[in-house]
Structures are given as structure tokens and as C-alpha cells.
Amino acid sequence: MSYGSCTVASADPAALEAIRIYFKRFPRQADRMEVPALYTLNKLLKPMGYGVCFQSEYFLPLRFSEAKASSFKTELLVTEQLAELNSSQ
């Protein structure tokens, strides 16, 4: 699991060595959660019956003006609007 500039691993003890190998092979946190690195993780975990279940990606256009030309509805939210979305009402 990726949290900002850190990676947190919680695993079956049998998989810990494979995860250590993976972290050493991909030392930059940003690379660990990207394809093709995740394919490597799958290969390391497969012998133990585990694998990557899903991956979510979020991206923004390079320039907001490029998004306006898209057929998708795009909104630029400011900090206050994001706080409203995270409230536990």
C-alpha cells in the first residue's frame, strides 16, 4: 500500500522475503506501484498462491485547458471543496 512517500507492507510471513526482494529491486516508492513493477511482484508471489488483486490509478491532465477539450466533465476542486467530500456526515 502506498501512502505519499512511503510504502507499507502487511503480509503473510511466508511472503515477506518475496516482498523484501521486490522492495530492493524497486527502491523508489513511485516505481513500486506501477506496471511493469507490479508484474514482477505477481511473479514473486505466485508460488505462494498470492497475487496483486487490483490497482487504482488517478491522473490529471498536464494542463487544465487540455481537459476542457475532452468530452468528459472535468471540475477543478479547491481544498475547501475536498474537505467537504471527506466529511463523515
Side-chain angles (χ1 to χ4, degrees):
M1 197 175 289
S2 171
Y3 292 104
S5 62
C6 300
T7 303
V8 177
S10 176
D12 182 318
L16 287 177
E17 187 56 30
I19 293 171
R20 283 188 188 101
I21 291 168
Y22 180 71
F23 279 20
K24 286 178 185 175
R25 191 173 297 172
F26 299 97
R28 284 180 9 106
Q29 182 274 340
D31 297 334
R32 289 180 185 155
M33 300 300 163
E34 299 291 331
V35 175
L38 289 174
Y39 295 140
T40 301
L41 180 59
N42 258 343
K43 288 178 186 176
L44 290 167
L45 296 175
K46 188 174 182 175
M48 292 160 266
Y50 296 113
V52 175
C53 179
F54 63 88
Q55 175 185 358
S56 298
E57 289 193 35
Y58 304 92
F59 61 91
L60 297 172
L62 294 176
R63 291 184 291 276
F64 187 67
S65 61
E66 291 174 3
K68 289 181 186 178
S70 165
S71 61
F72 296 104
K73 180 180 176 186
T74 305
E75 294 181 48
L76 182 61
L77 301 178
V78 295
T79 304
E80 293 79 23
Q81 292 169 303
L82 295 172
E84 292 172 11
L85 295 174
N86 285 326
S87 67
S88 56
Q89 297 177 1

